[in-house]
Amino acid sequence: MTDQATGVTDPANRADSEIPGKPTAASRTTLSHIMTGSDTNLLGTVHGGVIMKLVDDAAGAVAGRHSGGPAVTASMDEMVFLEPVRVGDLVHVKAQVNWTGRSSMEVGVRVMAERWNESTPAQQVGSAYLVFAAVDGDGKPRRVPPVIPETERDNRRYQEAQIRRTHRLARRRAIKELREKRAAEGIDD
């Protein structure tokens, strides 16, 4: 059902929903890891790929929890590194489902870091949005429960996720059309 004031579909009342919805908090999780010398890049800070793996691990756990089974990474959007992470930092990767479709879920991730031996507050060092597809034992898409936003922040994240989805689909469509046009013109890339 669509809220006439906001134009947002209430995920708990989607007409195609046969699976009961789950609140955002049901699958929210935090993965914490201390960074060591084996995590560094040539500059002596933690390699971005190490952080990306932690992001994917946390997001995958959330997607699996929310969907009640296996889920695979379909895309990673907007991975942003805000500050370098150093050896000795305790990194906290916080993830939650922001939006759900029939078999896909957008998971939002916030990466925080603090010194392992200091009592200063953790600082945000990165963020990302990932799309996961729930799959069955044969690797075929399967339905996921709708996510039910619980707070105003969750509602904002849900609405922003719908915008990102619209942009992803439009970008994919535009690239496909361009490639088809180039192929029709005999341009081989």
Side-chain angles (χ1 to χ4, degrees), residues 22-62:
K22 286 186 177 179
T24 306
S27 58
R28 187 179 290 140
T29 195
T30 300
L31 171 69
S32 296
H33 189 80
I34 193 159
M35 298 292 106
T36 65
S38 64
D39 299 321
T40 60
N41 58 27
L42 296 175
L43 298 174
T45 56
V46 173
H47 194 287
V50 170
I51 300 300
M52 290 173 77
K53 181 178 183 330
L54 294 173
V55 164
D56 192 43
D57 288 347
V62 166

Side-chain angles (χ1 to χ4, degrees), residues 24-149:
T24 306
S27 58
R28 187 179 290 140
T29 195
T30 300
L31 171 69
S32 296
H33 189 80
I34 193 159
M35 298 292 106
T36 65
S38 64
D39 299 321
T40 60
N41 58 27
L42 296 175
L43 298 174
T45 56
V46 173
H47 194 287
V50 170
I51 300 300
M52 290 173 77
K53 181 178 183 330
L54 294 173
V55 164
D56 192 43
D57 288 347
V62 166
R65 281 178 163 188
H66 183 82
S67 69
V72 296
T73 311
S75 70
M76 179 182 275
D77 288 353
E78 300 181 38
M79 180 71 213
V80 177
F81 297 99
L82 302 169
E83 297 288 335
V85 176
R86 302 171 291 160
V87 170
D89 280 354
L90 180 58
V91 173
H92 308 286
V93 183
K94 301 171 180 273
Q96 76 171 48
V97 173
N98 290 336
W99 175 90
T100 53
R102 289 181 58 82
S103 62
S104 63
M105 300 158 275
E106 184 195 89
V107 179
V109 180
R110 178 175 293 159
V111 183
M112 309 293 288
E114 60 182 307
R115 294 305 293 167
W116 70 274
N117 61 346
E118 296 175 9
S119 60
T120 56
Q123 174 184 11
Q124 185 173 353
V125 295
S127 65
Y129 300 101
L130 296 89
V131 177
F132 278 79
V135 294
D136 63 19
D138 296 323
K140 304 289 184 206
R142 63 182 174 79
R143 303 248 341 206
V144 299
V147 66
I148 302 170

